[in-house]
Amino acid sequence: MEILRIENVTKTYGEKDTAVHALDRVSFSVEEGEFVAVTGPSGSGKSTLLHILGGVDKPDSGTVQVKGTVEENILLPLLLDGKKPNPKRLAQILSILGLEDRKEHLPSQLSGGQQQRVSVGRALITHPAVILADEPTGNLDQKNTKEIMDLFCKLNRTYKQTIVMITHDMKLAAQCDRVLAIVDGR
Ligand code: ADP
């Protein structure tokens, strides 16, 4: 089943001489349960794409649909506002993330990989239709990168979590179901 569809999405920053066409008529769809990598050189439009998929930014033209309702499914910060987490769900997430024994720890007492897992947990608590991850391993060493990637693979394979992830790392991209390559916003 298709869970995410974007059609003819265009985004331009600036005007006239200084105009940057960050996205130029981008169209694709993602199936429920798919793990998709977005790759491309710096400045090619990856982050702009993810911001638009997440509803954080608006396209100049084109459409984004997540199971019909963008907000309910992936506007995580809004959903988190004023909603009480379900304790059972919280315990389940801590267990999936392997952080049961770390739940009282301060961020400074956690490794980079553990901190990154907490941010994944923040996303999971809302049962998101899609996790959008912008370079989730960008500032991590090899060991922590593997931990995060293994976690994403487990979420995807075991819990059928749909994920769209930006990465520069072709080895990580190769582990995904599909790779979307973006160059000059296309
Ligand atoms: P990537 O994530 O692939 O590195 P981005 O989506 O961040 O690329 O950027 C795509 C292009 O849009 C780049 O040329 C960038 O400089 C430009 N851009 C991104 N955000 C803005 C902005 N807020 N104002 C002006 N130009 C921007």
PDB file of all heavy atoms in Angstrom, residues 13 20 22 41-48, ligand 1:
ATOM      1  N   TYR A  13      14.456  28.934  -3.799  1.00  0.00           N
ATOM      2  CA  TYR A  13      14.821  29.936  -2.807  1.00  0.00           C
ATOM      3  C   TYR A  13      15.345  31.163  -3.547  1.00  0.00           C
ATOM      4  O   TYR A  13      16.048  31.029  -4.542  1.00  0.00           O
ATOM      5  CB  TYR A  13      15.918  29.422  -1.879  1.00  0.00           C
ATOM      6  CG  TYR A  13      15.507  28.262  -1.003  1.00  0.00           C
ATOM      7  CD1 TYR A  13      15.980  26.980  -1.240  1.00  0.00           C
ATOM      8  CD2 TYR A  13      14.633  28.460   0.069  1.00  0.00           C
ATOM      9  CE1 TYR A  13      15.611  25.913  -0.429  1.00  0.00           C
ATOM     10  CE2 TYR A  13      14.259  27.407   0.884  1.00  0.00           C
ATOM     11  CZ  TYR A  13      14.751  26.144   0.627  1.00  0.00           C
ATOM     12  OH  TYR A  13      14.389  25.097   1.427  1.00  0.00           O
ATOM     13  N   VAL A  20      17.649  29.901  -6.428  1.00  0.00           N
ATOM     14  CA  VAL A  20      18.208  28.543  -6.347  1.00  0.00           C
ATOM     15  C   VAL A  20      17.048  27.565  -6.467  1.00  0.00           C
ATOM     16  O   VAL A  20      16.127  27.585  -5.646  1.00  0.00           O
ATOM     17  CB  VAL A  20      18.932  28.326  -4.996  1.00  0.00           C
ATOM     18  CG1 VAL A  20      19.405  26.887  -4.879  1.00  0.00           C
ATOM     19  CG2 VAL A  20      20.090  29.288  -4.832  1.00  0.00           C
ATOM     20  N   ALA A  22      15.996  24.515  -5.600  1.00  0.00           N
ATOM     21  CA  ALA A  22      16.381  23.432  -4.693  1.00  0.00           C
ATOM     22  C   ALA A  22      15.702  22.123  -5.094  1.00  0.00           C
ATOM     23  O   ALA A  22      16.310  21.053  -5.015  1.00  0.00           O
ATOM     24  CB  ALA A  22      16.037  23.799  -3.252  1.00  0.00           C
ATOM     25  N   PRO A  41      24.800  14.771  -3.882  1.00  0.00           N
ATOM     26  CA  PRO A  41      25.840  15.680  -3.406  1.00  0.00           C
ATOM     27  C   PRO A  41      25.286  16.762  -2.497  1.00  0.00           C
ATOM     28  O   PRO A  41      24.074  17.018  -2.497  1.00  0.00           O
ATOM     29  CB  PRO A  41      26.411  16.285  -4.685  1.00  0.00           C
ATOM     30  CG  PRO A  41      25.634  15.759  -5.819  1.00  0.00           C
ATOM     31  CD  PRO A  41      24.611  14.800  -5.330  1.00  0.00           C
ATOM     32  N   SER A  42      26.169  17.400  -1.754  1.00  0.00           N
ATOM     33  CA  SER A  42      25.774  18.511  -0.897  1.00  0.00           C
ATOM     34  C   SER A  42      25.117  19.589  -1.752  1.00  0.00           C
ATOM     35  O   SER A  42      25.594  19.899  -2.842  1.00  0.00           O
ATOM     36  CB  SER A  42      27.034  19.048  -0.223  1.00  0.00           C
ATOM     37  OG  SER A  42      26.675  20.078   0.650  1.00  0.00           O
ATOM     38  N   GLY A  43      23.990  20.121  -1.277  1.00  0.00           N
ATOM     39  CA  GLY A  43      23.293  21.176  -2.015  1.00  0.00           C
ATOM     40  C   GLY A  43      22.358  20.676  -3.091  1.00  0.00           C
ATOM     41  O   GLY A  43      21.772  21.466  -3.830  1.00  0.00           O
ATOM     42  N   SER A  44      22.179  19.349  -3.195  1.00  0.00           N
ATOM     43  CA  SER A  44      21.357  18.818  -4.284  1.00  0.00           C
ATOM     44  C   SER A  44      19.866  18.902  -3.995  1.00  0.00           C
ATOM     45  O   SER A  44      19.047  18.693  -4.889  1.00  0.00           O
ATOM     46  CB  SER A  44      21.745  17.370  -4.580  1.00  0.00           C
ATOM     47  OG  SER A  44      21.605  16.576  -3.427  1.00  0.00           O
ATOM     48  N   GLY A  45      19.492  19.165  -2.730  1.00  0.00           N
ATOM     49  CA  GLY A  45      18.079  19.326  -2.417  1.00  0.00           C
ATOM     50  C   GLY A  45      17.525  18.299  -1.441  1.00  0.00           C
ATOM     51  O   GLY A  45      16.320  18.269  -1.182  1.00  0.00           O
ATOM     52  N   LYS A  46      18.390  17.473  -0.833  1.00  0.00           N
ATOM     53  CA  LYS A  46      17.923  16.399   0.042  1.00  0.00           C
ATOM     54  C   LYS A  46      17.169  16.930   1.261  1.00  0.00           C
ATOM     55  O   LYS A  46      16.070  16.469   1.562  1.00  0.00           O
ATOM     56  CB  LYS A  46      19.108  15.536   0.513  1.00  0.00           C
ATOM     57  CG  LYS A  46      19.937  14.933  -0.605  1.00  0.00           C
ATOM     58  CD  LYS A  46      21.084  14.087  -0.070  1.00  0.00           C
ATOM     59  CE  LYS A  46      22.119  14.842   0.743  1.00  0.00           C
ATOM     60  NZ  LYS A  46      22.885  15.845  -0.018  1.00  0.00           N
ATOM     61  N   SER A  47      17.782  17.886   1.961  1.00  0.00           N
ATOM     62  CA  SER A  47      17.143  18.400   3.179  1.00  0.00           C
ATOM     63  C   SER A  47      15.859  19.140   2.855  1.00  0.00           C
ATOM     64  O   SER A  47      14.852  19.009   3.572  1.00  0.00           O
ATOM     65  CB  SER A  47      18.086  19.323   3.934  1.00  0.00           C
ATOM     66  OG  SER A  47      19.210  18.599   4.373  1.00  0.00           O
ATOM     67  N   THR A  48      15.881  19.905   1.775  1.00  0.00           N
ATOM     68  CA  THR A  48      14.670  20.605   1.349  1.00  0.00           C
ATOM     69  C   THR A  48      13.552  19.587   1.112  1.00  0.00           C
ATOM     70  O   THR A  48      12.408  19.785   1.543  1.00  0.00           O
ATOM     71  CB  THR A  48      14.956  21.398   0.049  1.00  0.00           C
ATOM     72  OG1 THR A  48      16.025  22.307   0.303  1.00  0.00           O
ATOM     73  CG2 THR A  48      13.730  22.159  -0.412  1.00  0.00           C
TER      74      THR A  48
HETATM   75  P1  ADP B   1      21.254  19.079   0.619  1.00  0.00           P
HETATM   76  O1  ADP B   1      20.434  18.690   1.809  1.00  0.00           O
HETATM   77  O2  ADP B   1      21.183  18.057  -0.497  1.00  0.00           O
HETATM   78  O3  ADP B   1      22.670  19.440   0.954  1.00  0.00           O
HETATM   79  P2  ADP B   1      19.556  21.427   0.553  1.00  0.00           P
HETATM   80  O4  ADP B   1      18.178  20.903   0.337  1.00  0.00           O
HETATM   81  O5  ADP B   1      19.951  21.843   1.920  1.00  0.00           O
HETATM   82  O6  ADP B   1      20.611  20.382  -0.045  1.00  0.00           O
HETATM   83  O7  ADP B   1      19.793  22.684  -0.418  1.00  0.00           O
HETATM   84  C1  ADP B   1      19.452  22.672  -1.784  1.00  0.00           C
HETATM   85  C2  ADP B   1      19.809  24.041  -2.375  1.00  0.00           C
HETATM   86  O8  ADP B   1      18.922  25.048  -1.836  1.00  0.00           O
HETATM   87  C3  ADP B   1      21.224  24.510  -2.043  1.00  0.00           C
HETATM   88  O9  ADP B   1      21.716  25.214  -3.180  1.00  0.00           O
HETATM   89  C4  ADP B   1      21.006  25.450  -0.870  1.00  0.00           C
HETATM   90  O10 ADP B   1      22.031  26.426  -0.803  1.00  0.00           O
HETATM   91  C5  ADP B   1      19.658  26.058  -1.175  1.00  0.00           C
HETATM   92  N1  ADP B   1      18.928  26.432   0.053  1.00  0.00           N
HETATM   93  C6  ADP B   1      18.520  25.598   1.055  1.00  0.00           C
HETATM   94  N2  ADP B   1      17.842  26.265   1.996  1.00  0.00           N
HETATM   95  C7  ADP B   1      17.827  27.570   1.616  1.00  0.00           C
HETATM   96  C8  ADP B   1      17.275  28.782   2.160  1.00  0.00           C
HETATM   97  N3  ADP B   1      16.590  28.765   3.312  1.00  0.00           N
HETATM   98  N4  ADP B   1      17.465  29.946   1.485  1.00  0.00           N
HETATM   99  C9  ADP B   1      18.149  29.953   0.321  1.00  0.00           C
HETATM  100  N5  ADP B   1      18.678  28.873  -0.273  1.00  0.00           N
HETATM  101  C10 ADP B   1      18.528  27.687   0.363  1.00  0.00           C
END
